[in-house]
Amino acid sequence: MKRAIITGADGFVGSNTVKCFLDHGIEVLAIDIVDNPRRLQPQDGLKYKCLDISDVSLLSQVAGVGEYDTFVHFAWAGSAGPQRTDYNLQMQNALTTVECMKAAKQLGCERFVCAGSIMEREVEAAIHTQGSRPGMGYIYGMGKHIAHCMCKAVAANIGIDLLWPMITNAYGVGELSPRFVNTTLRKIINGEPLQFTAGTQNYDFVYVTDVARAFYAVAQDGVPFKEYIIGSGNARPLREFILEMQQALAPDAVPLFGDVPFTGTNLPLSAFDTSELEQDCSFKPQVPFAEGTRMTMEWLKTI
C-alpha cells in the first residue's frame, strides 16, 4: 500500500485514520462533504477534496486511474442521532457504498476497506429470533449489514479485494456525538445522576487512535473477504466498563444500575472476538479504557 483514498475523512474515526496512514508514509486523498475540514490540517502527503460521494461519478474528477491502490470508506450519513432510524437514508448509504466500491475498481484500486459495525451482528441476532420485535434503532445496523452483504457479492463479481473491519464502540478525544461514553462523561463533569441499565449486556470499547491503527493494519495485511472485529480484546458486561470509568474519574459518584430499561440484544462474548485481527494483522490496542476515558473527559472540559 502506497496511496489511499479515504472518504468521510474529516469525521471522528476518518480523520484519525487519515493521520495514521500519513504517519506510516501513505499518501492520502481525503474526501469529505465539508468545504473547510474541522479536524484535518494541511500536511505533506495529504490532498483534501470536498465531494458529495452520493454522486460517485465525481470521484473520477479528483482521482486518476492507477493513482491509488487502496480505498477506505467511512462516509455514511446519519451514523448518529435520529437519522439512524431513517430507513430511506440508511438504504441509500448501503447503495452508495456499493457504488463507491465499483468506482474504486474502475480507478484501479486493489483493495476496498469499509467501516462496518458490531451492530450488524446485533441485527442478525434480533431479526432471526422468533417473535422478536426489533426497535427502529436497529435501522442503522441494518443498513451496514445490507451494505456488507451486497459488497461481498459485487466485490467477488468485479474482482476487487473486500475487507470489512467492524467497529465495536469507538470513543475518544474529538468525538461530538451523544454516544454512551461521551454522554456518561458529560454527566460526570456536570455532576448529574449516573443512571444506567442493569449493565449485564456484553459490550466493548476501543479508543479512536487504536481504531485508526486497526484500519491501517487491515488495509495493509488483512485477508480479502474477511471481516475483523475492532475492539479492546477484553469485552465484558457493560457494568464492568461503567464501574472502571466511575472509579477512575468520579470515585465519589454512585452508579445507579437498573434505572434505565434495556431493550436491545445481548450478544455473546464470542461476537466481540478480536483474535483474527491480531493473528492476521499483528494488531493489539494500546490505550486502556480508564486512560482513554480520562483523556476524553479532560478534552470535553475544554470545549
Side-chain angles (χ1 to χ4, degrees):
M1 180 171 60
K2 294 181 178 179
R3 309 185 77 202
I5 298 171
I6 300 181
T7 68
D10 194 47
F12 173 53
V13 176
S15 60
N16 279 275
T17 303
V18 168
K19 183 179 184 303
C20 181
F21 274 50
L22 292 169
D23 288 346
H24 283 86
I26 308 301
E27 294 182 36
V28 174
L29 170 58
I31 294 175
D32 209 302
I33 200 169
V34 294
D35 288 320
N36 299 304
R38 294 180 301 169
R39 295 181 170 99
L40 295 177
Q41 300 297 323
Q43 64 184 98
D44 291 344
L46 174 63
K47 180 190 295 185
Y48 179 80
K49 292 293 183 181
C50 173
L51 192 70
D52 182 353
I53 51 91
S54 62
D55 183 357
V56 296
S57 65
L58 297 176
L59 284 169
S60 62
Q61 299 179 16
V62 298
V65 175
E67 289 186 27
Y68 298 90
D69 50 60
T70 303
F71 195 115
V72 184
H73 185 58
F74 289 107
W76 190 279
S79 59
Q83 288 186 316
R84 288 169 70 98
T85 66
D86 185 338
Y87 49 84
N88 286 308
L89 177 63
Q90 300 303 335
M91 184 64 76
Q92 186 57 56
N93 281 329
L95 294 172
T96 298
T97 299
V98 177
E99 293 303 320
C100 279
M101 185 181 67
K102 290 167 62 180
K105 173 65 176 179
Q106 293 168 358
L107 290 172
C109 294
E110 299 171 359
R111 290 159 82 82
F112 185 81
V113 184
C114 186
S117 170
I118 191 68
M119 288 194 70
E120 297 174 53
R121 295 194 169 177
E122 293 182 17
V123 164
E124 290 179 331
I127 295 302
H128 297 296
T129 298
Q130 294 284 50
S132 67
R133 300 185 182 188
M136 292 294 288
Y138 283 100
I139 296 292
Y140 164 77
M142 292 172 184
K144 287 286 186 180
H145 182 61
I146 291 168
H148 190 172
C149 293
M150 292 194 297
C151 277
K152 202 162 190 179
V154 174
N157 181 60
I158 65 176
I160 190 171
D161 288 347
L162 174 67
L163 299 110
W164 201 271
M166 300 168 71
I167 306 170
T168 52
N169 290 280
Y171 73 98
V173 171
E175 184 184 17
L176 299 171
S177 72
R179 286 159 57 85
F180 183 82
V181 169
N182 251 18
T183 300
T184 302
L185 292 176
R186 289 181 187 276
K187 288 180 179 179
I188 290 174
I189 293 169
N190 297 327
E192 299 174 10
L194 302 181
Q195 297 173 303
F196 306 102
T197 66
T200 56
Q201 66 270 39
N202 293 322
Y203 241 77
D204 200 4
F205 296 95
V206 56
Y207 193 73
V208 67
T209 55
D210 281 332
V211 177
R213 290 177 51 248
F215 269 89
Y216 173 78
V218 170
Q220 182 73 15
D221 298 316
V223 176
F225 292 91
K226 289 186 70 171
E227 58 189 49
Y228 293 98
I229 296 295
I230 298 179
S232 71
N234 185 29
R236 47 204 158 118
L238 178 60
R239 182 187 185 101
E240 295 184 21
F241 284 105
I242 293 171
L243 289 173
E244 182 177 352
M245 186 168 22
Q246 173 263 319
Q247 290 165 10
L249 305 176
D252 295 330
V254 179
L256 304 173
F257 292 104
D259 284 8
V260 178
F262 174 64
T263 58
T265 299
N266 187 17
L267 293 174
L269 288 174
S270 59
F272 299 88
D273 183 12
T274 61
S275 60
E276 293 203 56
L277 179 61
E278 180 177 345
Q279 292 166 10
D280 292 350
C281 307
S282 302
F283 174 82
K284 288 187 178 181
Q286 296 176 341
V287 182
F289 184 66
E291 175 64 12
T293 51
R294 183 195 65 77
M295 292 190 293
T296 306
M297 187 171 77
E298 292 305 312
W299 174 76
L300 286 172
K301 290 178 180 178
T302 67
I303 64 173

